Amino acid sequence: MPKSSESPYRLVARDARPEGTRVRLGRVEVGGPEFVVAAGPCAVETRDQMLAAARGVAAGGARMLRGGAFKPRTSPYSFQGLGEEGLELLAEAGRSVGLPTVTEVIAPEDVELVARYADVLQVGARNTQNFALLKALGRIGKPVLLKRGMSTTIDELLQAAEYVLASGNPDVILCERGIRTFETATRNTLDLNAVPVLKGRTHLPVLVDPSHGTGIRELIAPLSKAAAAAGADGLIIEVHPSPEDALSDGAQSLTPEMFADLMRDLVGHLALEGRSVAGPGSGTSVSMGAYRDRIDEIDERIVALLEERARMALRVGRIKRAAGHEIHAPEREADVLGRVCLAADGPLGGEAVERLFRAIIAETRAAESRETATAA
Ligand code: PEP
Ligand code: MN
């Protein structure tokens, strides 16, 4: 085996970062002490299906929501996904339960579009060595979930990951999803050997996809536990609110109830190894964290908007002063308060919003007096 300095995958080699890479998604961290499970349907089909799937997997303890909008189907006549509409529905469903989202991108020219909606961009098994796609993903500021191709060696998978890092993106999560062998009893042969081999060779986190790895619903639970025992950092699992109606991969999709049972089992299995995983019911604290992140973002936007509003008001003041008009305009204030009061149709209500705006107006006036004082 060549030393990492001579190896074809210099940047992803374990000794380039012996402590291991942790890929952060809001409050979720892939590659850290917690075993992270992503779940959701193979494909985004409808708004109701996606919202129900999101509720189901969040309640079961999933930390990330999956759903394909661009589907790489073997037959051109199979359902190809909803495209941008699917991305919108996935993003809405993720927001509704406070989970980050992962979805596949199949063409370099779609990378920007998909990155606008999703938190993690997936490279599917049919694109592991699509070097143009890997380079395009190297130029975005979002993590990549790189799946192993069905006939890609571990070494080739690592070199594919190297493309993404070498193009500037350090946040790559690898995924073993089964390889093609002579065996036909299962859809693919889930190569769990790959997990400890990868963990030894690279610092990147490794997930396992037992859904595509087996193709059979009943095999997801045993192979999930085996993946955890093999040292995976987490799983990606297909869950559909009604698998028999799924437009793709129904036979390997779990119901939300089966998913919750599996997560309950995994809590016990991982505890034996001193590791943790979010089980059913722990979704509330996951969601709470994600909601708080969102509140922090909103607060920043509110502050920026308030400052912009004040700058505008000061400008109006300057124009009035130049024209020799009275700065204070009670009828304009009454107008503003009336408008915001009417616009308030949420839990705060008109009266509370009016009080907030009285305070904003008072603070703007104080800023105006400060400006006049310094100008004088
Ligand atoms: C998928 O995750 O829906 C998918 C198509 O997987 P893979 O690329 O592993 O076949
Ligand atoms: Mn699928």
Side-chain angles (χ1 to χ4, degrees), residues 41-43 66 68 71-72 104 122-126 147-148 150 177 187 209 212 236 238 249:
C42 178
R66 65 152 287 154
K71 297 304 301 173
E104 181 163 352
Q122 174 177 322
V123 176
R126 289 150 197 82
K147 287 186 142 194
R148 178 183 182 185
M150 53 198 92
R177 48 75 73 200
R187 180 176 177 182
D209 173 350
H212 295 87
I236 177 160
E238 288 185 340
D249 288 350

Side-chain angles (χ1 to χ4, degrees), residues 39-51 53-55 57 64-70 82-105 114-122 239:
C42 178
V44 180
E45 298 167 2
T46 64
R47 185 165 184 267
D48 285 350
Q49 169 247 15
M50 207 49 235
L51 291 174
R55 274 197 304 276
V57 304
M64 211 191 301
L65 179 66
R66 65 152 287 154
F70 292 97
L82 298 180
E84 185 165 2
E85 187 195 346
L87 296 174
E88 278 167 18
L89 296 176
L90 174 67
E92 180 191 357
R95 275 197 306 274
S96 76
V97 291
L99 288 184
T101 57
V102 54
T103 196
E104 181 163 352
V105 55
V114 177
R116 242 182 279 141
Y117 290 97
D119 299 298
V120 178
L121 280 75
Q122 174 177 322
V239 177

